PDB file of all heavy atoms in Angstrom:
ATOM      1  N   PHE P1539      -0.896  10.103   2.403  1.00 92.00           N
ATOM      2  CA  PHE P1539       0.264   9.868   1.531  1.00 92.00           C
ATOM      3  C   PHE P1539       0.179  10.715   0.271  1.00 92.00           C
ATOM      4  O   PHE P1539       1.126  11.396  -0.124  1.00 92.00           O
ATOM      5  CB  PHE P1539       0.368   8.379   1.160  1.00 92.00           C
ATOM      6  CG  PHE P1539       1.543   8.089   0.283  1.00 92.00           C
ATOM      7  CD1 PHE P1539       2.818   8.031   0.810  1.00 92.00           C
ATOM      8  CD2 PHE P1539       1.371   7.908  -1.087  1.00 92.00           C
ATOM      9  CE1 PHE P1539       3.906   7.780  -0.003  1.00 92.00           C
ATOM     10  CE2 PHE P1539       2.450   7.665  -1.907  1.00 92.00           C
ATOM     11  CZ  PHE P1539       3.723   7.606  -1.349  1.00 92.00           C
ATOM     12  N   LEU P1542       0.801  14.305   0.901  1.00 90.00           N
ATOM     13  CA  LEU P1542       2.216  14.660   1.085  1.00 90.00           C
ATOM     14  C   LEU P1542       2.949  14.768  -0.247  1.00 90.00           C
ATOM     15  O   LEU P1542       3.769  15.663  -0.448  1.00 90.00           O
ATOM     16  CB  LEU P1542       2.884  13.629   1.980  1.00 90.00           C
ATOM     17  CG  LEU P1542       3.986  14.224   2.849  1.00 90.00           C
ATOM     18  CD1 LEU P1542       3.412  15.236   3.810  1.00 90.00           C
ATOM     19  CD2 LEU P1542       4.730  13.129   3.585  1.00 90.00           C
ATOM     20  N   VAL P1543       2.620  13.855  -1.190  1.00 89.00           N
ATOM     21  CA  VAL P1543       3.234  13.914  -2.511  1.00 89.00           C
ATOM     22  C   VAL P1543       2.886  15.255  -3.166  1.00 89.00           C
ATOM     23  O   VAL P1543       3.747  15.960  -3.701  1.00 89.00           O
ATOM     24  CB  VAL P1543       2.750  12.740  -3.392  1.00 89.00           C
ATOM     25  CG1 VAL P1543       3.201  12.927  -4.831  1.00 89.00           C
ATOM     26  CG2 VAL P1543       3.254  11.419  -2.841  1.00 89.00           C
ATOM     27  N   THR P1546       4.544  18.276  -1.313  1.00 88.00           N
ATOM     28  CA  THR P1546       5.954  18.422  -1.634  1.00 88.00           C
ATOM     29  C   THR P1546       6.136  19.084  -2.980  1.00 88.00           C
ATOM     30  O   THR P1546       7.023  19.903  -3.176  1.00 88.00           O
ATOM     31  CB  THR P1546       6.630  17.028  -1.637  1.00 88.00           C
ATOM     32  OG1 THR P1546       6.169  16.305  -0.523  1.00 88.00           O
ATOM     33  CG2 THR P1546       8.128  17.171  -1.564  1.00 88.00           C
ATOM     34  N   LEU P1584       0.075  11.173 -11.729  1.00 84.00           N
ATOM     35  CA  LEU P1584       0.848  10.056 -11.171  1.00 84.00           C
ATOM     36  C   LEU P1584       0.099   9.388 -10.022  1.00 84.00           C
ATOM     37  O   LEU P1584      -0.066   8.158  -9.985  1.00 84.00           O
ATOM     38  CB  LEU P1584       2.198  10.575 -10.693  1.00 84.00           C
ATOM     39  CG  LEU P1584       3.210   9.494 -10.371  1.00 84.00           C
ATOM     40  CD1 LEU P1584       3.972   9.129 -11.628  1.00 84.00           C
ATOM     41  CD2 LEU P1584       4.154   9.951  -9.283  1.00 84.00           C
ATOM     42  N   PHE P1588      -1.472   5.398  -9.857  1.00 86.00           N
ATOM     43  CA  PHE P1588      -1.149   4.440  -8.802  1.00 86.00           C
ATOM     44  C   PHE P1588      -2.391   4.080  -7.995  1.00 86.00           C
ATOM     45  O   PHE P1588      -2.569   2.929  -7.582  1.00 86.00           O
ATOM     46  CB  PHE P1588      -0.054   4.987  -7.887  1.00 86.00           C
ATOM     47  CG  PHE P1588       1.308   4.831  -8.493  1.00 86.00           C
ATOM     48  CD1 PHE P1588       2.065   5.922  -8.870  1.00 86.00           C
ATOM     49  CD2 PHE P1588       1.845   3.557  -8.709  1.00 86.00           C
ATOM     50  CE1 PHE P1588       3.315   5.768  -9.450  1.00 86.00           C
ATOM     51  CE2 PHE P1588       3.086   3.398  -9.278  1.00 86.00           C
ATOM     52  CZ  PHE P1588       3.841   4.507  -9.656  1.00 86.00           C
TER      53      PHE P1588
ATOM     54  N   TYR H1106       9.984   0.100  -8.351  1.00 87.00           N
ATOM     55  CA  TYR H1106       9.827   1.532  -8.109  1.00 87.00           C
ATOM     56  C   TYR H1106      11.024   2.096  -7.345  1.00 87.00           C
ATOM     57  O   TYR H1106      11.486   3.193  -7.605  1.00 87.00           O
ATOM     58  CB  TYR H1106       8.525   1.786  -7.348  1.00 87.00           C
ATOM     59  CG  TYR H1106       8.065   3.218  -7.474  1.00 87.00           C
ATOM     60  CD1 TYR H1106       7.866   3.774  -8.731  1.00 87.00           C
ATOM     61  CD2 TYR H1106       7.852   3.993  -6.361  1.00 87.00           C
ATOM     62  CE1 TYR H1106       7.473   5.086  -8.851  1.00 87.00           C
ATOM     63  CE2 TYR H1106       7.448   5.314  -6.473  1.00 87.00           C
ATOM     64  CZ  TYR H1106       7.260   5.852  -7.726  1.00 87.00           C
ATOM     65  OH  TYR H1106       6.874   7.156  -7.845  1.00 87.00           O
ATOM     66  N   TYR H1109      13.852   2.648  -9.696  1.00 90.00           N
ATOM     67  CA  TYR H1109      13.607   3.883 -10.428  1.00 90.00           C
ATOM     68  C   TYR H1109      14.013   5.082  -9.572  1.00 90.00           C
ATOM     69  O   TYR H1109      14.732   5.978 -10.022  1.00 90.00           O
ATOM     70  CB  TYR H1109      12.131   3.949 -10.820  1.00 90.00           C
ATOM     71  CG  TYR H1109      11.684   5.307 -11.288  1.00 90.00           C
ATOM     72  CD1 TYR H1109      12.016   5.759 -12.563  1.00 90.00           C
ATOM     73  CD2 TYR H1109      10.934   6.144 -10.459  1.00 90.00           C
ATOM     74  CE1 TYR H1109      11.616   7.018 -12.984  1.00 90.00           C
ATOM     75  CE2 TYR H1109      10.532   7.383 -10.876  1.00 90.00           C
ATOM     76  CZ  TYR H1109      10.875   7.810 -12.134  1.00 90.00           C
ATOM     77  OH  TYR H1109      10.484   9.048 -12.542  1.00 90.00           O
ATOM     78  N   LEU H1110      13.575   5.087  -8.314  1.00 89.00           N
ATOM     79  CA  LEU H1110      13.910   6.211  -7.420  1.00 89.00           C
ATOM     80  C   LEU H1110      15.415   6.302  -7.204  1.00 89.00           C
ATOM     81  O   LEU H1110      15.991   7.385  -7.225  1.00 89.00           O
ATOM     82  CB  LEU H1110      13.220   6.029  -6.069  1.00 89.00           C
ATOM     83  CG  LEU H1110      11.700   6.102  -6.061  1.00 89.00           C
ATOM     84  CD1 LEU H1110      11.154   5.840  -4.671  1.00 89.00           C
ATOM     85  CD2 LEU H1110      11.236   7.467  -6.566  1.00 89.00           C
ATOM     86  N   THR H1152      15.096   7.176   2.508  1.00 90.00           N
ATOM     87  CA  THR H1152      13.681   7.245   2.100  1.00 90.00           C
ATOM     88  C   THR H1152      13.220   5.916   1.521  1.00 90.00           C
ATOM     89  O   THR H1152      12.165   5.409   1.877  1.00 90.00           O
ATOM     90  CB  THR H1152      13.492   8.341   1.053  1.00 90.00           C
ATOM     91  OG1 THR H1152      14.065   9.548   1.540  1.00 90.00           O
ATOM     92  CG2 THR H1152      12.031   8.560   0.779  1.00 90.00           C
ATOM     93  N   PHE H1156      10.193   3.553   3.030  1.00 90.00           N
ATOM     94  CA  PHE H1156       9.008   3.150   2.266  1.00 90.00           C
ATOM     95  C   PHE H1156       8.911   1.638   2.162  1.00 90.00           C
ATOM     96  O   PHE H1156       7.836   1.046   2.301  1.00 90.00           O
ATOM     97  CB  PHE H1156       9.011   3.775   0.868  1.00 90.00           C
ATOM     98  CG  PHE H1156       8.526   5.193   0.880  1.00 90.00           C
ATOM     99  CD1 PHE H1156       9.329   6.232   0.445  1.00 90.00           C
ATOM    100  CD2 PHE H1156       7.242   5.510   1.315  1.00 90.00           C
ATOM    101  CE1 PHE H1156       8.883   7.546   0.458  1.00 90.00           C
ATOM    102  CE2 PHE H1156       6.784   6.826   1.338  1.00 90.00           C
ATOM    103  CZ  PHE H1156       7.619   7.834   0.910  1.00 90.00           C
ATOM    104  N   ARG H1224      11.167  11.911   2.222  1.00 69.00           N
ATOM    105  CA  ARG H1224      11.311  12.868   1.145  1.00 69.00           C
ATOM    106  C   ARG H1224      10.404  12.471   0.004  1.00 69.00           C
ATOM    107  O   ARG H1224      10.783  11.742  -0.885  1.00 69.00           O
ATOM    108  CB  ARG H1224      12.765  12.874   0.676  1.00 69.00           C
ATOM    109  CG  ARG H1224      13.745  13.345   1.724  1.00 69.00           C
ATOM    110  CD  ARG H1224      15.128  13.171   1.187  1.00 69.00           C
ATOM    111  NE  ARG H1224      15.197  13.715  -0.168  1.00 69.00           N
ATOM    112  CZ  ARG H1224      15.725  14.899  -0.453  1.00 69.00           C
ATOM    113  NH1 ARG H1224      16.245  15.637   0.497  1.00 69.00           N
ATOM    114  NH2 ARG H1224      15.765  15.324  -1.690  1.00 69.00           N
ATOM    115  N   THR H1225       9.166  12.940   0.066  1.00 65.00           N
ATOM    116  CA  THR H1225       8.242  12.500  -0.979  1.00 65.00           C
ATOM    117  C   THR H1225       8.518  13.140  -2.322  1.00 65.00           C
ATOM    118  O   THR H1225       7.950  12.749  -3.312  1.00 65.00           O
ATOM    119  CB  THR H1225       6.787  12.753  -0.589  1.00 65.00           C
ATOM    120  OG1 THR H1225       6.732  14.038  -0.028  1.00 65.00           O
ATOM    121  CG2 THR H1225       6.267  11.702   0.332  1.00 65.00           C
ATOM    122  N   ASP H1226       9.411  14.162  -2.340  1.00 63.00           N
ATOM    123  CA  ASP H1226       9.728  14.698  -3.668  1.00 63.00           C
ATOM    124  C   ASP H1226      10.392  13.621  -4.522  1.00 63.00           C
ATOM    125  O   ASP H1226      10.315  13.641  -5.734  1.00 63.00           O
ATOM    126  CB  ASP H1226      10.617  15.947  -3.574  1.00 63.00           C
ATOM    127  CG  ASP H1226      11.804  15.734  -2.659  1.00 63.00           C
ATOM    128  OD1 ASP H1226      11.750  14.803  -1.827  1.00 63.00           O
ATOM    129  OD2 ASP H1226      12.775  16.479  -2.765  1.00 63.00           O
ATOM    130  N   LEU H1227      11.025  12.663  -3.844  1.00 61.00           N
ATOM    131  CA  LEU H1227      11.576  11.525  -4.577  1.00 61.00           C
ATOM    132  C   LEU H1227      10.457  10.762  -5.255  1.00 61.00           C
ATOM    133  O   LEU H1227      10.585  10.325  -6.396  1.00 61.00           O
ATOM    134  CB  LEU H1227      12.258  10.575  -3.607  1.00 61.00           C
ATOM    135  CG  LEU H1227      13.724  10.797  -3.301  1.00 61.00           C
ATOM    136  CD1 LEU H1227      14.158   9.770  -2.281  1.00 61.00           C
ATOM    137  CD2 LEU H1227      14.535  10.637  -4.575  1.00 61.00           C
ATOM    138  N   THR H1228       9.321  10.606  -4.538  1.00 55.00           N
ATOM    139  CA  THR H1228       8.283   9.750  -5.069  1.00 55.00           C
ATOM    140  C   THR H1228       7.340  10.477  -5.998  1.00 55.00           C
ATOM    141  O   THR H1228       6.662   9.874  -6.792  1.00 55.00           O
ATOM    142  CB  THR H1228       7.437   9.148  -3.935  1.00 55.00           C
ATOM    143  OG1 THR H1228       6.901  10.238  -3.207  1.00 55.00           O
ATOM    144  CG2 THR H1228       8.260   8.300  -3.051  1.00 55.00           C
ATOM    145  N   SER H1229       7.301  11.775  -5.887  1.00 49.00           N
ATOM    146  CA  SER H1229       6.362  12.482  -6.762  1.00 49.00           C
ATOM    147  C   SER H1229       6.931  12.600  -8.177  1.00 49.00           C
ATOM    148  O   SER H1229       6.264  13.067  -9.074  1.00 49.00           O
ATOM    149  CB  SER H1229       6.051  13.871  -6.216  1.00 49.00           C
ATOM    150  OG  SER H1229       7.197  14.687  -6.321  1.00 49.00           O
ATOM    151  N   GLY H1230       8.176  12.176  -8.359  1.00 47.00           N
ATOM    152  CA  GLY H1230       8.779  12.244  -9.687  1.00 47.00           C
ATOM    153  C   GLY H1230       9.143  13.670 -10.049  1.00 47.00           C
ATOM    154  O   GLY H1230       9.418  13.993 -11.186  1.00 47.00           O
ATOM    155  N   ALA H1231       9.127  14.553  -9.052  1.00 39.00           N
ATOM    156  CA  ALA H1231       9.377  15.949  -9.338  1.00 39.00           C
ATOM    157  C   ALA H1231      10.804  16.344  -8.968  1.00 39.00           C
ATOM    158  O   ALA H1231      11.080  17.483  -8.662  1.00 39.00           O
ATOM    159  CB  ALA H1231       8.398  16.842  -8.585  1.00 39.00           C
ATOM    160  N   VAL H1232      11.699  15.349  -8.941  1.00 37.00           N
ATOM    161  CA  VAL H1232      13.073  15.650  -8.585  1.00 37.00           C
ATOM    162  C   VAL H1232      13.762  16.392  -9.710  1.00 37.00           C
ATOM    163  O   VAL H1232      13.596  16.066 -10.879  1.00 37.00           O
ATOM    164  CB  VAL H1232      13.839  14.345  -8.293  1.00 37.00           C
ATOM    165  CG1 VAL H1232      15.285  14.640  -7.960  1.00 37.00           C
ATOM    166  CG2 VAL H1232      13.188  13.601  -7.172  1.00 37.00           C
TER     167      VAL H1232
END
Side-chain angles (χ1 to χ4, degrees):
Chain P
F1539 180 77
L1542 213 64
V1543 171
T1546 317
L1584 192 87
F1588 280 113
Chain H
Y1106 200 56
Y1109 167 76
L1110 294 177
T1152 309
F1156 279 120
R1224 297 174 48 101
T1225 43
D1226 49 340
L1227 271 177
T1228 58
S1229 68
V1232 178

